[in-house]
Amino acid sequence: MTELTRIPAPDGVAPAAQYSHVVLGRGRFVAVSGQVALDENGELVGEGDAEAQARQVFENLRRCLAAAGASFDDVVKLTYFVTDLEDMPALRAARAEHIPDDRLPAASAVQVVGLVRPEFLMEVEAFAVLAE
């Protein structure tokens, strides 16, 4: 695990409630492609169920990070793509199962018209930094 510095509210910037404005560290960069709610067999998890999809997305992120020797402790940035902003609480709840409030990464949330398949409600990508 690398030593990361989180700056939730730089001078002159309004505080963030659900993310850190800035996260910095030194080490190897890890990029995890956007993850959707597919299980290990490529089957959709939670059709129409934002909570189930969010849990699967974060499980997929966890597995991808682990494959790179990383964990959620190393994540510096999450980007959320959602078809409905009403699904953000489900994503925040799934995130809270993996990342404590005192270790929140930087984040962006984008509402999109659609994802690669219409049954996907969300997609999340991650960036991490590992110790050198």
Side-chain angles (χ1 to χ4, degrees):
M1 180 173 73
T2 188
E3 181 67 31
L4 299 176
T5 301
R6 290 168 177 79
I7 305 171
D11 289 342
V13 177
Q18 297 292 326
Y19 59 92
S20 296
H21 277 290
V22 180
V23 180
L24 60 129
R26 172 174 281 172
R28 293 182 302 130
F29 181 73
V30 177
V32 177
S33 293
Q35 296 297 304
V36 293
L38 293 177
D39 67 14
E40 62 273 4
N41 298 313
E43 299 294 323
L44 177 68
V45 172
E47 184 164 358
D49 182 342
E51 291 178 9
Q53 287 199 20
R55 284 191 304 273
Q56 184 65 45
V57 164
F58 271 85
E59 177 58 18
N60 291 348
L61 288 169
R62 185 195 66 73
R63 290 176 179 175
C64 289
L65 289 164
S71 73
F72 282 105
D73 286 339
D74 304 305
V75 171
V76 296
K77 174 81 187 300
L78 293 171
T79 305
Y80 305 94
F81 301 95
V82 294
T83 57
D84 187 341
L85 289 174
E86 302 259 337
D87 293 337
M88 286 303 299
L91 277 165
R92 287 186 190 113
R95 183 201 62 210
E97 294 175 15
H98 298 278
I99 304 173
D101 285 347
D102 66 339
R103 300 194 58 81
L104 292 174
S108 298
V110 181
Q111 184 173 13
V112 295
V113 172
L115 294 164
V116 70
R117 287 179 25 194
E119 61 270 28
F120 295 147
L121 303 175
M122 59 198 63
E123 182 172 333
V124 181
E125 65 184 15
F127 298 101
V129 176
L130 292 173
E132 296 177 309

